[in-house]
Amino acid sequence: MAIHEAVVYEGQKPTAEELADLERAARLPINFDDIPPMSPEEMKKVAAMARSRRAALRKSNLTIRIPQQTIDKAKELLGAGYTGVLRRLIVKAVDHPELLKDCL
């Protein structure tokens, strides 16, 4: 069995040939022969890592007051998913002191 590697960039759409390759690969059986079994201690470590990663990615709810015309403009410019874009804008602003300083 050959190994096929490809680099996929954000926003890139796979070609019809790549999609066909993926469909064929999805039907192949998975060979677990070269994977050693995990001990209960290793399983506990992996579970703890997964819990800590999920906790780090958890988002909190926040209520803020934004002028209605700003919300309307965001909806018009950004369409569906505009709240996610606004969230990412706030995150970027907080991570960049020069942007944050402009708002203080």
Side-chain angles (χ1 to χ4, degrees):
M1 180 170 84
I3 295 175
H4 177 77
E5 289 185 34
V7 177
V8 178
Y9 298 98
E10 185 177 344
Q12 179 182 348
K13 302 237 187 264
T15 64
E17 183 180 332
E18 290 168 331
L19 287 172
D21 285 345
L22 287 172
E23 288 292 328
R24 278 192 297 280
R27 288 190 291 272
L28 293 173
I30 299 173
N31 182 352
F32 295 102
D33 292 343
D34 60 344
I35 303 171
M38 293 179 74
S39 69
E41 293 80 23
E42 290 172 320
M43 290 289 279
K44 286 179 184 176
K45 285 181 184 177
V46 169
M49 283 184 352
R51 279 193 300 275
S52 67
R53 286 184 181 172
R54 276 195 307 273
L57 295 174
R58 191 169 294 129
K59 298 175 187 122
S60 299
N61 289 328
L62 170 69
T63 302
I64 58 174
R65 298 173 68 83
I66 299 175
Q68 187 61 47
Q69 67 190 80
T70 303
I71 295 171
D72 293 342
K73 191 172 187 178
K75 284 181 183 179
E76 181 183 325
L77 290 172
L78 305 170
Y82 75 97
T83 56
V85 176
L86 293 176
R87 179 187 56 81
R88 289 188 296 277
L89 283 169
I90 291 170
V91 169
K92 281 191 179 268
V94 170
D95 289 341
H96 289 85
E98 67 278 359
L99 290 174
L100 192 56
K101 190 160 99 174
D102 286 347
C103 297
L104 296 176

